[in-house]
Tab-separated table of all heavy atoms in Angstrom:
chain	number	residue	atom	x	y	z
L	30	ARG	N	-20.208	-22.254	22.594
L	30	ARG	CA	-21.587	-22.487	23.043
L	30	ARG	C	-21.701	-22.263	24.544
L	30	ARG	O	-20.812	-22.642	25.302
L	30	ARG	CB	-22.015	-23.918	22.727
L	30	ARG	CG	-21.993	-24.214	21.257
L	30	ARG	CD	-22.063	-25.697	20.986
L	30	ARG	NE	-21.668	-25.928	19.603
L	30	ARG	CZ	-22.479	-26.338	18.658
L	30	ARG	NH1	-23.728	-26.575	18.923
L	30	ARG	NH2	-22.055	-26.516	17.435
L	31	VAL	N	-22.817	-21.679	24.949
L	31	VAL	CA	-23.156	-21.542	26.361
L	31	VAL	C	-24.350	-22.449	26.588
L	31	VAL	O	-25.387	-22.308	25.924
L	31	VAL	CB	-23.485	-20.081	26.742
L	31	VAL	CG1	-23.956	-20.009	28.190
L	31	VAL	CG2	-22.281	-19.191	26.514
L	32	ILE	N	-24.184	-23.409	27.499
L	32	ILE	CA	-25.233	-24.405	27.754
L	32	ILE	C	-25.623	-24.338	29.226
L	32	ILE	O	-24.764	-24.331	30.113
L	32	ILE	CB	-24.732	-25.823	27.405
L	32	ILE	CG1	-24.377	-25.882	25.924
L	32	ILE	CG2	-25.767	-26.876	27.774
L	32	ILE	CD1	-23.718	-27.165	25.488
L	33	GLU	N	-26.938	-24.295	29.472
L	33	GLU	CA	-27.457	-24.288	30.838
L	33	GLU	C	-27.873	-25.709	31.209
L	33	GLU	O	-28.546	-26.384	30.439
L	33	GLU	CB	-28.664	-23.356	30.915
L	33	GLU	CG	-29.320	-23.323	32.272
L	33	GLU	CD	-30.544	-22.427	32.269
L	33	GLU	OE1	-31.396	-22.589	31.385
L	33	GLU	OE2	-30.623	-21.564	33.153
L	34	VAL	N	-27.442	-26.153	32.388
L	34	VAL	CA	-27.823	-27.474	32.895
L	34	VAL	C	-28.483	-27.257	34.253
L	34	VAL	O	-27.800	-27.102	35.266
L	34	VAL	CB	-26.604	-28.416	33.024
L	34	VAL	CG1	-27.040	-29.784	33.539
L	34	VAL	CG2	-25.870	-28.536	31.699
L	35	PRO	N	-29.830	-27.236	34.273
L	35	PRO	CA	-30.506	-27.039	35.561
L	35	PRO	C	-30.289	-28.257	36.475
L	35	PRO	O	-30.315	-29.389	36.023
L	35	PRO	CB	-31.983	-26.904	35.192
L	35	PRO	CG	-32.062	-26.907	33.714
L	35	PRO	CD	-30.746	-27.337	33.173
L	36	GLY	N	-30.062	-28.007	37.739
L	36	GLY	CA	-29.921	-29.089	38.711
L	36	GLY	C	-28.743	-30.007	38.419
L	36	GLY	O	-28.883	-31.220	38.472
L	37	LEU	N	-27.593	-29.436	38.125
L	37	LEU	CA	-26.398	-30.218	37.797
L	37	LEU	C	-26.030	-31.136	38.961
L	37	LEU	O	-25.856	-30.695	40.084
L	37	LEU	CB	-25.237	-29.282	37.480
L	37	LEU	CG	-23.900	-29.952	37.186
L	37	LEU	CD1	-23.989	-30.740	35.887
L	37	LEU	CD2	-22.794	-28.920	37.102
L	38	THR	N	-25.963	-32.436	38.660
L	38	THR	CA	-25.539	-33.423	39.643
L	38	THR	C	-24.340	-34.169	39.076
L	38	THR	O	-24.497	-34.929	38.114
L	38	THR	CB	-26.678	-34.431	39.943
L	38	THR	OG1	-27.851	-33.710	40.305
L	38	THR	CG2	-26.289	-35.376	41.054
L	39	PRO	N	-23.151	-33.933	39.619
L	39	PRO	CA	-21.956	-34.606	39.087
L	39	PRO	C	-22.117	-36.126	39.081
L	39	PRO	O	-22.633	-36.713	40.029
L	39	PRO	CB	-20.846	-34.178	40.046
L	39	PRO	CG	-21.331	-32.881	40.625
L	39	PRO	CD	-22.821	-33.026	40.713
L	40	GLY	N	-21.721	-36.750	37.977
L	40	GLY	CA	-21.791	-38.203	37.838
L	40	GLY	C	-23.086	-38.704	37.224
L	40	GLY	O	-23.156	-39.848	36.787
L	41	ASP	N	-24.142	-37.889	37.215
L	41	ASP	CA	-25.417	-38.286	36.618
L	41	ASP	C	-25.470	-37.883	35.156
L	41	ASP	O	-24.715	-37.033	34.698
L	41	ASP	CB	-26.599	-37.623	37.342
L	41	ASP	CG	-26.918	-38.275	38.669
L	41	ASP	OD1	-26.340	-39.342	38.961
L	41	ASP	OD2	-27.729	-37.700	39.418
L	42	HIS	N	-26.394	-38.478	34.422
L	42	HIS	CA	-26.651	-38.084	33.033
L	42	HIS	C	-27.305	-36.703	33.055
L	42	HIS	O	-28.242	-36.466	33.819
L	42	HIS	CB	-27.574	-39.107	32.361
L	42	HIS	CG	-27.899	-38.765	30.954
L	42	HIS	ND1	-26.998	-38.935	29.941
L	42	HIS	CD2	-29.013	-38.245	30.392
L	42	HIS	CE1	-27.546	-38.543	28.801
L	42	HIS	NE2	-28.772	-38.118	29.060
L	43	GLN	N	-26.804	-35.787	32.237
L	43	GLN	CA	-27.292	-34.407	32.238
L	43	GLN	C	-27.937	-34.077	30.894
L	43	GLN	O	-27.474	-34.530	29.853
L	43	GLN	CB	-26.146	-33.422	32.475
L	43	GLN	CG	-25.270	-33.736	33.662
L	43	GLN	CD	-26.001	-33.637	34.988
L	43	GLN	OE1	-26.797	-32.730	35.201
L	43	GLN	NE2	-25.729	-34.557	35.882
L	44	ILE	N	-28.983	-33.296	30.920
L	44	ILE	CA	-29.590	-32.763	29.705
L	44	ILE	C	-29.495	-31.246	29.801
L	44	ILE	O	-29.997	-30.636	30.739
L	44	ILE	CB	-31.066	-33.201	29.553
L	44	ILE	CG1	-31.128	-34.724	29.445
L	44	ILE	CG2	-31.703	-32.524	28.356
L	44	ILE	CD1	-32.521	-35.285	29.389
L	45	GLY	N	-28.813	-30.667	28.827
L	45	GLY	CA	-28.601	-29.230	28.846
L	45	GLY	C	-29.400	-28.527	27.770
L	45	GLY	O	-29.856	-29.142	26.806
L	46	LYS	N	-29.564	-27.241	27.945
L	46	LYS	CA	-30.259	-26.404	26.972
L	46	LYS	C	-29.269	-25.364	26.458
L	46	LYS	O	-28.675	-24.624	27.243
L	46	LYS	CB	-31.438	-25.699	27.633
L	46	LYS	CG	-32.158	-24.738	26.728
L	46	LYS	CD	-33.261	-24.002	27.470
L	46	LYS	CE	-33.848	-22.946	26.562
L	46	LYS	NZ	-34.761	-22.073	27.266
L	47	THR	N	-29.073	-25.339	25.132
L	47	THR	CA	-28.157	-24.363	24.545
L	47	THR	C	-28.787	-22.985	24.622
L	47	THR	O	-29.893	-22.771	24.143
L	47	THR	CB	-27.844	-24.722	23.078
L	47	THR	OG1	-27.244	-26.011	23.047
L	47	THR	CG2	-26.896	-23.716	22.460
L	48	LEU	N	-28.070	-22.037	25.244
L	48	LEU	CA	-28.570	-20.679	25.375
L	48	LEU	C	-28.118	-19.797	24.217
L	48	LEU	O	-28.878	-18.960	23.746
L	48	LEU	CB	-28.109	-20.069	26.697
L	48	LEU	CG	-28.595	-20.774	27.958
L	48	LEU	CD1	-28.060	-20.068	29.194
L	48	LEU	CD2	-30.115	-20.818	27.995
L	49	LEU	N	-26.858	-19.972	23.792
L	49	LEU	CA	-26.383	-19.172	22.662
L	49	LEU	C	-25.173	-19.820	22.025
L	49	LEU	O	-24.505	-20.649	22.633
L	49	LEU	CB	-26.062	-17.725	23.075
L	49	LEU	CG	-25.018	-17.499	24.161
L	49	LEU	CD1	-23.647	-17.307	23.545
L	49	LEU	CD2	-25.399	-16.260	24.946
L	50	ARG	N	-24.952	-19.437	20.775
L	50	ARG	CA	-23.770	-19.864	20.026
L	50	ARG	C	-23.094	-18.600	19.508
L	50	ARG	O	-23.760	-17.671	19.075
L	50	ARG	CB	-24.161	-20.759	18.847
L	50	ARG	CG	-24.822	-22.034	19.293
L	50	ARG	CD	-25.182	-22.965	18.166
L	50	ARG	NE	-25.819	-22.261	17.065
L	50	ARG	CZ	-25.669	-22.597	15.791
L	50	ARG	NH1	-24.917	-23.605	15.443
L	50	ARG	NH2	-26.279	-21.918	14.846
L	51	SER	N	-21.774	-18.606	19.546
L	51	SER	CA	-21.018	-17.425	19.158
L	51	SER	C	-19.804	-17.838	18.336
L	51	SER	O	-19.098	-18.767	18.720
L	51	SER	CB	-20.574	-16.698	20.432
L	51	SER	OG	-19.709	-15.653	20.148
L	52	PRO	N	-19.549	-17.165	17.199
L	52	PRO	CA	-18.340	-17.472	16.427
L	52	PRO	C	-17.099	-17.183	17.267
L	52	PRO	O	-17.060	-16.203	18.005
L	52	PRO	CB	-18.405	-16.510	15.242
L	52	PRO	CG	-19.811	-16.046	15.183
L	52	PRO	CD	-20.348	-16.120	16.570
L	53	GLY	N	-16.095	-18.042	17.169
L	53	GLY	CA	-14.897	-17.857	17.959
L	53	GLY	C	-13.649	-18.355	17.251
L	53	GLY	O	-13.696	-18.804	16.113
L	54	GLY	N	-12.560	-18.291	17.948
L	54	GLY	CA	-11.244	-18.619	17.415
L	54	GLY	C	-10.374	-17.385	17.568
L	54	GLY	O	-10.880	-16.260	17.612
L	55	LYS	N	-9.066	-17.570	17.662
L	55	LYS	CA	-8.184	-16.435	17.952
L	55	LYS	C	-8.334	-15.286	16.960
L	55	LYS	O	-8.503	-14.133	17.346
L	55	LYS	CB	-6.737	-16.915	18.009
L	55	LYS	CG	-6.452	-17.743	19.240
L	55	LYS	CD	-4.998	-18.146	19.312
L	55	LYS	CE	-4.728	-18.922	20.564
L	55	LYS	NZ	-4.831	-20.346	20.410
L	56	GLY	N	-8.267	-15.572	15.664
L	56	GLY	CA	-8.377	-14.508	14.665
L	56	GLY	C	-9.746	-13.846	14.675
L	56	GLY	O	-9.866	-12.629	14.507
L	57	VAL	N	-10.799	-14.638	14.881
L	57	VAL	CA	-12.163	-14.105	14.949
L	57	VAL	C	-12.278	-13.148	16.135
L	57	VAL	O	-12.809	-12.040	16.011
L	57	VAL	CB	-13.198	-15.245	15.062
L	57	VAL	CG1	-14.593	-14.702	15.307
L	57	VAL	CG2	-13.166	-16.124	13.823
L	58	ASN	N	-11.760	-13.563	17.281
L	58	ASN	CA	-11.839	-12.724	18.478
L	58	ASN	C	-11.044	-11.429	18.314
L	58	ASN	O	-11.492	-10.362	18.731
L	58	ASN	CB	-11.361	-13.503	19.705
L	58	ASN	CG	-12.269	-14.680	20.017
L	58	ASN	OD1	-13.427	-14.718	19.609
L	58	ASN	ND2	-11.735	-15.650	20.716
L	59	VAL	N	-9.869	-11.508	17.685
L	59	VAL	CA	-9.073	-10.304	17.440
L	59	VAL	C	-9.829	-9.352	16.523
L	59	VAL	O	-9.901	-8.146	16.765
L	59	VAL	CB	-7.688	-10.658	16.854
L	59	VAL	CG1	-6.970	-9.425	16.339
L	59	VAL	CG2	-6.846	-11.376	17.895
L	60	SER	N	-10.437	-9.882	15.459
L	60	SER	CA	-11.207	-9.038	14.535
L	60	SER	C	-12.382	-8.379	15.227
L	60	SER	O	-12.705	-7.222	14.956
L	60	SER	CB	-11.696	-9.850	13.336
L	60	SER	OG	-10.655	-10.062	12.425
L	61	ARG	N	-13.038	-9.105	16.151
L	61	ARG	CA	-14.161	-8.513	16.876
L	61	ARG	C	-13.698	-7.352	17.759
L	61	ARG	O	-14.365	-6.313	17.830
L	61	ARG	CB	-14.864	-9.579	17.710
L	61	ARG	CG	-15.684	-10.477	16.827
L	61	ARG	CD	-16.160	-11.741	17.424
L	61	ARG	NE	-16.764	-11.727	18.718
L	61	ARG	CZ	-17.233	-12.826	19.288
L	61	ARG	NH1	-17.174	-13.976	18.675
L	61	ARG	NH2	-17.773	-12.785	20.474
L	62	ILE	N	-12.553	-7.503	18.418
L	62	ILE	CA	-12.036	-6.421	19.264
L	62	ILE	C	-11.626	-5.231	18.402
L	62	ILE	O	-11.925	-4.075	18.735
L	62	ILE	CB	-10.846	-6.912	20.109
L	62	ILE	CG1	-11.292	-7.987	21.092
L	62	ILE	CG2	-10.163	-5.757	20.820
L	62	ILE	CD1	-12.352	-7.542	22.082
L	63	LEU	N	-10.936	-5.498	17.287
L	63	LEU	CA	-10.556	-4.404	16.388
L	63	LEU	C	-11.790	-3.664	15.890
L	63	LEU	O	-11.810	-2.436	15.825
L	63	LEU	CB	-9.737	-4.937	15.210
L	63	LEU	CG	-8.339	-5.441	15.548
L	63	LEU	CD1	-7.735	-6.150	14.346
L	63	LEU	CD2	-7.451	-4.306	16.017
L	64	ASP	N	-12.826	-4.416	15.538
L	64	ASP	CA	-14.073	-3.810	15.068
L	64	ASP	C	-14.694	-2.937	16.158
L	64	ASP	O	-15.176	-1.839	15.883
L	64	ASP	CB	-15.045	-4.904	14.631
L	64	ASP	CG	-16.288	-4.340	13.992
L	64	ASP	OD1	-16.158	-3.569	13.021
L	64	ASP	OD2	-17.399	-4.664	14.463
L	65	ALA	N	-14.650	-3.407	17.397
L	65	ALA	CA	-15.199	-2.623	18.515
L	65	ALA	C	-14.412	-1.331	18.723
L	65	ALA	O	-14.954	-0.338	19.202
L	65	ALA	CB	-15.178	-3.460	19.793
L	66	MET	N	-13.126	-1.342	18.326
L	66	MET	CA	-12.286	-0.141	18.432
L	66	MET	C	-12.352	0.701	17.158
L	66	MET	O	-11.601	1.660	17.014
L	66	MET	CB	-10.831	-0.564	18.676
L	66	MET	CG	-10.612	-1.256	19.993
L	66	MET	SD	-8.943	-1.978	20.149
L	66	MET	CE	-7.901	-0.564	19.891
L	67	ASP	N	-13.249	0.335	16.225
L	67	ASP	CA	-13.395	1.020	14.938
L	67	ASP	C	-12.115	0.976	14.108
L	67	ASP	O	-11.799	1.926	13.397
L	67	ASP	CB	-13.860	2.472	15.118
L	67	ASP	CG	-15.271	2.548	15.673
L	67	ASP	OD1	-16.093	1.685	15.300
L	67	ASP	OD2	-15.539	3.464	16.460
L	68	VAL	N	-11.371	-0.121	14.218
L	68	VAL	CA	-10.161	-0.310	13.424
L	68	VAL	C	-10.526	-1.218	12.246
L	68	VAL	O	-10.936	-2.356	12.452
L	68	VAL	CB	-9.032	-0.963	14.252
L	68	VAL	CG1	-7.819	-1.250	13.382
L	68	VAL	CG2	-8.665	-0.081	15.434
L	69	PRO	N	-10.396	-0.717	11.004
L	69	PRO	CA	-10.731	-1.541	9.849
L	69	PRO	C	-9.843	-2.785	9.788
L	69	PRO	O	-8.637	-2.712	10.028
L	69	PRO	CB	-10.450	-0.638	8.650
L	69	PRO	CG	-10.336	0.738	9.197
L	69	PRO	CD	-9.937	0.611	10.629
L	70	ASN	N	-10.455	-3.927	9.495
L	70	ASN	CA	-9.697	-5.168	9.386
L	70	ASN	C	-10.472	-6.143	8.522
L	70	ASN	O	-11.660	-5.970	8.278
L	70	ASN	CB	-9.408	-5.746	10.774
L	70	ASN	CG	-10.655	-6.259	11.464
L	70	ASN	OD1	-11.007	-7.406	11.320
L	70	ASN	ND2	-11.328	-5.386	12.222
L	71	THR	N	-9.768	-7.150	8.061
L	71	THR	CA	-10.382	-8.204	7.258
L	71	THR	C	-10.126	-9.529	7.960
L	71	THR	O	-9.003	-9.823	8.343
L	71	THR	CB	-9.763	-8.247	5.846
L	71	THR	OG1	-9.993	-6.990	5.226
L	71	THR	CG2	-10.365	-9.348	5.011
L	72	MET	N	-11.192	-10.316	8.122
L	72	MET	CA	-11.091	-11.620	8.750
L	72	MET	C	-11.225	-12.687	7.672
L	72	MET	O	-12.121	-12.606	6.833
L	72	MET	CB	-12.215	-11.772	9.781
L	72	MET	CG	-12.254	-13.118	10.443
L	72	MET	SD	-13.522	-13.251	11.728
L	72	MET	CE	-14.980	-12.661	10.917
L	73	THR	N	-10.330	-13.664	7.691
L	73	THR	CA	-10.395	-14.744	6.717
L	73	THR	C	-10.050	-16.063	7.388
L	73	THR	O	-9.531	-16.091	8.497
L	73	THR	CB	-9.469	-14.469	5.515
L	73	THR	OG1	-9.705	-15.451	4.514
L	73	THR	CG2	-8.014	-14.492	5.923
L	74	GLY	N	-10.370	-17.152	6.711
L	74	GLY	CA	-10.080	-18.475	7.248
L	74	GLY	C	-10.878	-19.522	6.500
L	74	GLY	O	-11.346	-19.286	5.381
L	75	PHE	N	-11.017	-20.677	7.102
L	75	PHE	CA	-11.723	-21.794	6.490
L	75	PHE	C	-12.917	-22.178	7.350
L	75	PHE	O	-12.811	-22.219	8.575
L	75	PHE	CB	-10.790	-23.004	6.359
L	75	PHE	CG	-9.574	-22.722	5.532
L	75	PHE	CD1	-8.377	-22.361	6.130
L	75	PHE	CD2	-9.636	-22.799	4.155
L	75	PHE	CE1	-7.250	-22.093	5.375
L	75	PHE	CE2	-8.521	-22.528	3.384
L	75	PHE	CZ	-7.327	-22.175	3.989
L	76	LEU	N	-14.053	-22.481	6.695
L	76	LEU	CA	-15.261	-22.884	7.415
L	76	LEU	C	-15.803	-24.183	6.845
L	76	LEU	O	-15.751	-24.410	5.636
L	76	LEU	CB	-16.366	-21.833	7.272
L	76	LEU	CG	-16.205	-20.524	8.000
L	76	LEU	CD1	-17.360	-19.597	7.655
L	76	LEU	CD2	-16.155	-20.746	9.494
Side-chain angles (χ1 to χ4, degrees):
R30 299 165 196 248
V31 175
I32 299 173
E33 177 182 51
V34 181
L37 177 67
T38 307
D41 283 351
H42 179 75
Q43 310 295 319
I44 298 176
K46 176 184 174 189
T47 300
L48 298 180
L49 59 92
R50 297 182 315 146
S51 173
K55 289 183 178 93
V57 173
N58 295 339
V59 169
S60 283
R61 285 166 47 179
I62 295 300
L63 291 170
D64 186 55
M66 295 171 57
D67 293 324
V68 176
N70 69 90
T71 300
M72 177 177 50
T73 188
F75 301 96
L76 289 176

